[in-house]
Amino acid sequence: DIQMTQSPSTLSASVGDRVTITCRASQGVSKYLAWYQQKPGKVPKLLIYKASYLQSGVPPRFSGSGSDTDFTLTISSLQPDDAATYYCQQYNSYSETFGQGTKLEIK
Amino acid sequence: QVTLKESGPAMVKPTQTLTLTCSFSGFSLTTPGVRVSWVRQPPGKALEWLARIDWDGDEFYTTSLKTRLTISKDVSKNQVVLTMTNMEAVDTATYYCARMELGSTAGGGFDYWGQGILVTVSS
């Protein structure tokens, strides 16, 4: 199975900061990469699909980029509501996989 | 309006077989490009993709659990069923079903999720 590695595992940033989370695939996944936000006790929420497409209803401060093996999720101006764990997921192969998650805390 | 809902036992004993049902509405699993997957999350841990079934009946499984999993669909009932054999304590998790649509007009990602069902494995 394709392994997805996120970095960092935890991140602390201040309101208004620009935040970047990276996700690296062990093999190329083209652009079949999604990003999710999950808050404690809640269902994951789709933020970005196909590497860079913003899901309907998601604030435009979220953006995604990358292709093949290297991807990034960027929050342009961090808001208090963005405190959550973020996961990447590849869906290019027959066996899909998630990254291990990045916990984002607000200072 | 798309909805998914998981059902099944809240607790199973070690070595037993778990059967979970995902009942959905608002879409058809016969529409080209539509897939339903099962994803689990142990308490405090990361999401883990388990299996998926596609609109055309193709089935796919995570390699590490392939021998224990079976996914199936009943299009007349709008249900997807996951069975997992030989349950162990480490299989304690919240199990989710989720929908993805991938095709010429849809770019993928799990856009709809069930609420999840916590399954505890304990004797």
Side-chain angles (χ1 to χ4, degrees):
Chain A
D1 295 356
I2 297 174
Q3 306 303 313
M4 307 300 291
T5 303
Q6 290 182 231
S7 60
S9 296
T10 60
L11 175 58
S12 182
S14 300
V15 172
D17 282 354
R18 182 181 181 89
V19 169
T20 298
I21 298 170
T22 66
C23 179
R24 175 162 288 177
S26 61
Q27 307 175 29
V29 299
S30 184
K31 285 187 174 285
Y32 296 106
L33 190 285
W35 289 97
Y36 301 87
Q37 176 193 66
Q38 188 181 32
K39 297 181 179 181
K42 301 295 187 182
V43 175
K45 174 186 175 182
L46 178 64
L47 300 175
I48 302 287
Y49 64 93
K50 213 168 182 181
S52 61
Y53 290 80
L54 192 67
Q55 175 69 359
S56 176
V58 174
R61 64 179 180 273
F62 291 92
S63 64
S65 65
S67 67
D68 196 28
T69 61
D70 292 295
F71 301 87
T72 60
L73 173 70
T74 299
I75 307 172
S76 61
S77 179
L78 191 65
Q79 299 300 304
D81 189 52
D82 300 336
T85 299
Y86 294 82
Y87 295 94
C88 62
Q89 178 219 5
Q90 67 81 16
Y91 51 97
N92 183 58
S93 73
Y94 295 133
S95 184
E96 303 175 22
T97 40
F98 287 92
Q100 83 278 15
T102 294
K103 185 174 183 179
L104 174 57
E105 299 173 341
I106 310 296
K107 287 181 184 175
Chain B
Q1 178 190 1
V2 172
T3 65
L4 301 97
K5 186 174 183 178
E6 305 86 353
S7 59
M11 184 173 289
V12 297
K13 291 180 167 45
T15 75
Q16 286 188 334
T17 293
L18 171 67
T19 299
L20 295 174
T21 300
C22 175
S23 300
F24 59 87
S25 63
F27 68 95
S28 173
L29 199 38
T30 61
T31 301
V34 174
R35 322 163 157 184
V36 172
S37 287
W38 285 93
V39 175
R40 72 177 179 180
Q41 185 171 38
K45 296 190 177 181
L47 300 168
E48 179 184 20
W49 180 85
L50 299 177
R52 95 167 190 250
I53 190 160
D54 292 358
W55 65 277
D56 57 2
D58 282 347
E59 305 163 22
F60 304 95
Y61 300 94
T62 188
T63 301
S64 62
L65 294 170
K66 187 172 184 176
T67 59
R68 298 174 54 203
L69 295 173
T70 303
I71 192 169
S72 62
K73 62 173 178 165
D74 185 331
V75 295
S76 65
K77 294 182 179 179
N78 280 351
Q79 291 180 336
V80 172
V81 175
L82 181 76
T83 62
M84 180 180 291
T85 61
N86 195 24
M87 294 291 285
E88 306 174 41
V90 295
D91 297 314
T92 294
T94 296
Y95 288 76
Y96 297 99
C97 58
R99 183 197 92 141
M100 183 182 298
E101 188 169 4
L102 186 60
S104 59
T105 59
F110 292 131
D111 52 357
Y112 292 95
W113 295 68
Q115 65 192 22
I117 181 170
L118 175 61
V119 178
T120 301
V121 183
S122 175
S123 55

